[in-house]
Amino acid sequence: MSETQKAPDRRNFVTKVASIVVGGLISVVAPVAGLLTFLDPLRRKSDTRGLVRITSLASLPENGEPRKFPVLDTLVDAWNKTENVPVGSVYVQKTGPDTVRVLNSVCPHLGCSVGYRATTQGYFCPCHKSAFAIDGSIADPKSPSPRAMDELTAEVRDGEVWVRFQNFRKGSPDKIAV
């Protein structure tokens, strides 16, 4: 072979190397970008729940009798945002002109739904017969519940009751948020 036939191969060397480098970059960058987009929800910090509007202060009886209300919140899960999802329920009791007591309606013993009995002015869990006073404290010393009903943080803003809803570990004498 003559010297002139090898020269075109050397000239094309830079073009071939550049093609391989650009092709390699495209082959790597596109899947990495796609993977980062797919994993994006895992990289985001979880949304901590804030206050949720429950009811108006005017809808509560003046005599302090508690009323049960559903808690509707906005849930964000990966790419989805769902509004007005029932996440639990609470008992709201008017304790003053602009103050309320809010109790989670779940029994701290095993998580059954607690009902209010107007005749005894207290709460009762039908699952294991736990009894609670109107303020949520344990009414019967024989009650299997390890603690009083869980009181939640509440605020009254412009005649509206707002609650920081959360659930707590069942069966524990300590109030541990879950």
Side-chain angles (χ1 to χ4, degrees):
M1 286 193 160
S2 71
E3 196 72 35
T4 56
Q5 289 177 344
K6 291 183 181 181
D9 288 339
R10 279 186 273 166
R11 286 186 202 139
N12 290 334
F13 176 75
V14 174
T15 306
K16 289 179 182 179
V17 168
S19 299
I20 291 171
V21 169
V22 170
L25 285 174
I26 291 173
S27 297
V28 171
V29 170
V32 168
L35 187 63
L36 289 176
T37 301
F38 179 72
L39 296 177
D40 183 55
L42 300 176
R43 297 182 318 136
R44 291 185 205 159
K45 293 192 177 180
S46 64
D47 213 30
T48 56
R49 247 189 223 144
L51 295 174
V52 179
R53 183 194 172 281
I54 300 297
T55 187
S56 69
L57 195 58
S59 68
L60 298 173
E62 292 294 329
N63 66 0
E65 185 173 319
R67 294 280 188 249
K68 189 174 184 178
F69 294 95
V71 178
L72 304 175
D73 200 1
T74 300
L75 296 182
V76 178
D77 180 21
W79 296 274
N80 302 318
K81 181 178 179 181
T82 310
E83 295 185 11
N84 294 324
V85 176
V87 294
S89 61
V90 294
Y91 283 101
V92 182
Q93 177 188 15
K94 194 170 190 178
T95 56
D98 288 327
T99 58
V100 294
R101 176 183 299 119
V102 179
L103 301 172
N104 194 328
S105 68
V106 173
C107 181
H109 179 224
L110 292 177
C112 297
S113 182
V114 173
Y116 175 72
R117 290 184 172 173
T119 56
T120 60
Q121 295 221 339
Y123 302 96
F124 182 75
C125 178
C127 294
H128 297 98
K129 300 184 179 18
S130 292
F132 303 94
I134 197 164
D135 65 353
S137 62
I138 296 175
D140 182 4
K142 296 177 186 172
S143 175
S145 180
R147 65 177 185 271
M149 290 177 69
D150 297 319
E151 189 167 349
L152 303 173
T153 304
E155 292 179 12
V156 176
R157 298 184 200 159
D158 301 322
E160 304 279 326
V161 178
W162 292 78
V163 174
R164 183 174 311 280
F165 182 79
Q166 62 185 122
N167 287 308
F168 299 90
R169 183 177 293 161
K170 313 299 180 261
S172 170
D174 300 319
K175 188 175 167 181
I176 301 169
V178 291

